[in-house]
Amino acid sequence: FPTDYETEIPGVLTIMRNIVDTHNSTINVLHVYSGLNLTESQTGRKKALVRTFKNNKLNFFSITDTSVTRAIYDFTEENDVDMLVMVNNKHSFFENLLFRPVINEIGFNVKVPFLVIPSKKKS
């Protein structure tokens, strides 16, 4: 589960929690960052993720100095990943012009089942 901790976690991950509970799965949480520490709100969302999956095994991984897309590809290749789950964050028109969404890049090349969860509207 790659995340930037910018999405309100409990609200969007109900389906993931159902899958994890049904199959007694381990969740590998991948955070790709540029060396900056998590903000207070990101830290709060990480804690919410821990609370949401308190009955499941969580592994946290942080990777720096690589693109998000490359980090996800490498992680899925190097680890025993059975499913990739991502939240599709809503982007503004200008954000879509400036940044190619990671989900579009990943979706055509990933070699494991890929679940994309729509995010709730950003406030």
Side-chain angles (χ1 to χ4, degrees), residues 48-108:
L49 185 63
V50 171
R51 285 190 305 272
T52 299
F53 294 101
K54 66 183 175 202
N55 297 324
N56 307 99
K57 184 174 180 190
L58 285 171
N59 297 319
F60 289 91
F61 299 89
S62 294
I63 297 175
T64 59
D65 300 325
T66 189
S67 72
V68 173
T69 305
R70 175 55 38 209
I72 293 169
Y73 282 136
D74 291 348
F75 190 86
T76 57
E77 291 291 321
E78 295 167 8
N79 297 278
D80 188 22
V81 174
D82 296 315
M83 177 182 279
L84 176 62
V85 178
M86 293 181 72
V87 175
N88 186 15
N89 293 319
K90 305 272 189 249
H91 295 284
S92 71
F93 173 76
F94 292 110
E95 286 174 322
N96 283 332
L97 288 176
L98 297 172
F99 307 106
R100 186 171 178 193
V102 172
I103 288 181
N104 290 347
E105 291 181 42
I106 295 288
F108 295 108

Side-chain angles (χ1 to χ4, degrees), residues 8 45 120-123:
E8 293 298 330
R45 290 184 183 107
K120 291 189 175 185
K121 203 175 200 179
K122 283 189 175 183
S123 39

